[in-house]
Each structure stands twice: as structure tokens, then as C-alpha cells.
Coordinates of all heavy atoms in Angstrom, one line a residue:
I421 N 52.6 -47.5 21.2 CA 51.9 -46.3 20.9 C 52.0 -46.0 19.4 O 51.0 -45.5 18.9 CB 52.4 -45.2 21.8 CG1 51.4 -43.9 21.7 CG2 53.8 -44.7 21.4 CD1 50.1 -44.2 22.3
K422 N 53.1 -46.3 18.8 CA 53.3 -46.0 17.3 C 52.2 -46.8 16.5 O 51.7 -46.4 15.5 CB 54.6 -46.2 16.9 CG 55.6 -45.2 17.3 CD 55.3 -43.8 16.8 CE 56.2 -42.8 17.4 NZ 55.7 -41.4 17.2
I423 N 51.9 -48.0 17.0 CA 50.9 -48.8 16.3 C 49.5 -48.1 16.4 O 48.8 -48.1 15.4 CB 50.9 -50.3 16.8 CG1 52.2 -51.0 16.3 CG2 49.7 -51.1 16.3 CD1 52.3 -52.4 16.9
I424 N 49.2 -47.7 17.6 CA 47.9 -47.1 17.8 C 47.9 -45.7 17.0 O 46.8 -45.4 16.5 CB 47.8 -46.8 19.4 CG1 47.6 -48.2 20.1 CG2 46.5 -45.9 19.6 CD1 47.7 -48.1 21.6
E425 N 49.0 -45.0 17.0 CA 49.0 -43.8 16.2 C 48.8 -44.1 14.7 O 48.1 -43.4 14.1 CB 50.4 -43.0 16.4 CG 50.6 -42.4 17.7 CD 51.9 -41.7 17.9 OE1 52.8 -41.9 17.0 OE2 52.2 -41.1 18.9
G426 N 49.4 -45.2 14.2 CA 49.2 -45.5 12.8 C 47.8 -45.9 12.5 O 47.2 -45.7 11.5
M427 N 47.2 -46.7 13.5 CA 45.8 -47.0 13.4 C 44.9 -45.9 13.3 O 44.0 -45.7 12.5 CB 45.4 -48.0 14.5 CG 46.1 -49.4 14.4 SD 45.7 -50.4 15.9 CE 44.2 -51.2 15.3
A428 N 45.2 -44.8 14.2 CA 44.4 -43.6 14.2 C 44.5 -42.8 12.9 O 43.6 -42.2 12.5 CB 44.8 -42.8 15.4
M429 N 45.6 -43.0 12.2 CA 45.9 -42.4 11.0 C 45.3 -43.1 9.8 O 45.3 -42.8 8.7 CB 47.4 -42.2 10.7 CG 48.0 -41.2 11.6 SD 49.8 -41.3 11.5 CE 50.0 -40.6 9.8
G430 N 44.7 -44.3 10.2 CA 44.1 -45.1 9.1 C 45.0 -45.9 8.3 O 44.8 -46.2 7.1
K431 N 46.2 -46.3 8.9 CA 47.2 -47.0 8.2 C 47.0 -48.5 8.3 O 46.7 -49.0 9.4 CB 48.6 -46.7 8.7 CG 49.1 -45.3 8.5 CD 49.4 -45.2 7.0 CE 49.9 -43.8 6.7 NZ 50.2 -43.7 5.3
P432 N 47.0 -49.2 7.3 CA 47.1 -50.7 7.3 C 48.4 -51.1 8.1 O 49.4 -50.7 7.7 CB 47.1 -51.2 5.9 CG 46.6 -50.1 5.1 CD 47.0 -48.8 5.8
I433 N 48.3 -51.9 9.1 CA 49.4 -52.2 9.9 C 49.7 -53.7 9.7 O 48.8 -54.6 9.8 CB 49.1 -52.1 11.5 CG1 48.5 -50.7 11.7 CG2 50.2 -52.4 12.3 CD1 49.5 -49.5 11.7
I434 N 51.0 -54.0 9.5 CA 51.5 -55.4 9.5 C 52.5 -55.5 10.6 O 53.5 -54.7 10.7 CB 52.1 -55.8 8.1 CG1 51.1 -55.5 7.0 CG2 52.7 -57.2 8.2 CD1 51.7 -55.8 5.7
T435 N 52.2 -56.3 11.6 CA 53.1 -56.5 12.7 C 53.2 -57.9 13.2 O 52.6 -58.8 12.5 CB 52.6 -55.6 13.9 OG1 53.6 -55.5 14.9 CG2 51.3 -56.0 14.5
T436 N 53.9 -58.2 14.2 CA 54.0 -59.5 14.8 C 53.0 -59.7 16.0 O 52.5 -58.7 16.4 CB 55.4 -59.7 15.4 OG1 55.6 -58.7 16.4 CG2 56.5 -59.5 14.3
S437 N 52.9 -60.9 16.4 CA 52.1 -61.2 17.6 C 52.6 -60.4 18.8 O 51.8 -59.8 19.6 CB 52.1 -62.7 18.0 OG 51.5 -63.4 16.9
I438 N 53.9 -60.3 18.9 CA 54.5 -59.4 20.0 C 54.2 -58.0 19.8 O 53.9 -57.2 20.7 CB 56.0 -59.7 20.2 CG1 56.3 -61.1 20.6 CG2 56.6 -58.7 21.1 CD1 57.7 -61.5 20.6
G439 N 54.1 -57.5 18.5 CA 53.9 -56.2 18.2 C 52.4 -55.7 18.7 O 52.3 -54.5 19.0
I440 N 51.4 -56.6 18.8 CA 50.1 -56.1 19.3 C 49.9 -56.5 20.7 O 48.8 -56.3 21.2 CB 49.0 -56.6 18.3 CG1 48.9 -58.1 18.2 CG2 49.1 -55.9 17.0 CD1 47.6 -58.5 17.6
E441 N 50.8 -57.1 21.4 CA 50.6 -57.3 22.8 C 50.2 -56.1 23.5 O 50.9 -55.0 23.4 CB 51.9 -57.9 23.5 CG 52.1 -59.4 23.1 CD 53.3 -60.0 23.8 OE1 54.0 -59.2 24.5 OE2 53.5 -61.2 23.6
G442 N 49.1 -56.1 24.3 CA 48.7 -54.9 25.0 C 47.7 -54.1 24.2 O 47.1 -53.2 24.7
I443 N 47.4 -54.4 23.0 CA 46.5 -53.8 22.1 C 45.4 -54.8 21.8 O 45.7 -55.8 21.2 CB 47.1 -53.2 20.8 CG1 48.2 -52.3 21.1 CG2 46.0 -52.5 20.0 CD1 49.1 -51.9 20.0
E444 N 44.2 -54.6 22.3 CA 43.1 -55.6 22.1 C 42.4 -55.5 20.8 O 41.2 -55.5 20.7 CB 42.1 -55.4 23.3 CG 42.7 -55.6 24.7 CD 43.2 -57.1 24.9 OE1 42.6 -58.0 24.4 OE2 44.3 -57.3 25.5
C445 N 43.2 -55.5 19.7 CA 42.6 -55.5 18.4 C 42.5 -56.9 17.8 O 42.9 -57.9 18.5 CB 43.5 -54.6 17.5 SG 45.1 -55.2 17.3
V446 N 41.8 -57.0 16.7 CA 41.6 -58.4 16.1 C 42.5 -58.5 14.9 O 42.4 -57.8 13.9 CB 40.0 -58.4 15.6 CG1 39.8 -59.8 15.0 CG2 39.1 -58.2 16.8
A447 N 43.3 -59.5 15.0 CA 44.2 -59.9 13.9 C 43.5 -60.3 12.7 O 42.5 -61.0 12.8 CB 45.2 -61.0 14.4
G448 N 43.8 -59.8 11.6 CA 43.1 -60.1 10.3 C 41.9 -59.2 10.0 O 41.5 -59.1 8.9
Q449 N 41.5 -58.4 11.0 CA 40.5 -57.4 10.8 C 41.0 -56.0 11.1 O 40.7 -55.1 10.1 CB 39.4 -57.7 11.8 CG 38.3 -56.7 11.9 CD 37.2 -56.9 12.9 OE1 36.7 -58.0 13.0 NE2 37.0 -56.0 13.8
D450 N 41.7 -55.8 12.1 CA 42.2 -54.4 12.4 C 43.7 -54.3 12.0 O 44.2 -53.2 11.7 CB 42.1 -54.2 13.9 CG 40.7 -54.3 14.5 OD1 39.8 -53.8 13.8 OD2 40.5 -54.9 15.6
V451 N 44.4 -55.4 12.1 CA 45.8 -55.4 11.7 C 46.1 -56.8 11.0 O 45.3 -57.7 11.2 CB 46.8 -55.3 12.9 CG1 46.6 -53.9 13.6 CG2 46.7 -56.4 13.9

């Protein structure tokens, strides 16, 4: 949820593959 909150705030996110599990975003585009 903190990743989603950061995205909603318009924060550039740097995370791991495990970090975005369950979030159907596009690596390299959304994070």
C-alpha cells in the first residue's frame, strides 16, 4: 500500500521485483 500511496502522490518509485508483486504496473514506465 505504501508504494500505491507514493504513486498517488506522484513520487518516482524505485523498488524490487518483490516490491511490486500484486501491483499490475509496468516496470520502467510506472516504477
Side-chain angles (χ1 to χ4, degrees):
I421 193 67
K422 289 298 179 196
I423 291 176
I424 295 167
E425 287 177 357
M427 293 175 88
M429 293 170 66
K431 290 290 181 181
I433 309 287
I434 301 173
T435 190
T436 61
S437 298
I438 292 172
I440 62 164
E441 284 181 355
I443 303 172
E444 299 296 322
C445 61
V446 177
Q449 174 183 307
D450 303 320
V451 300

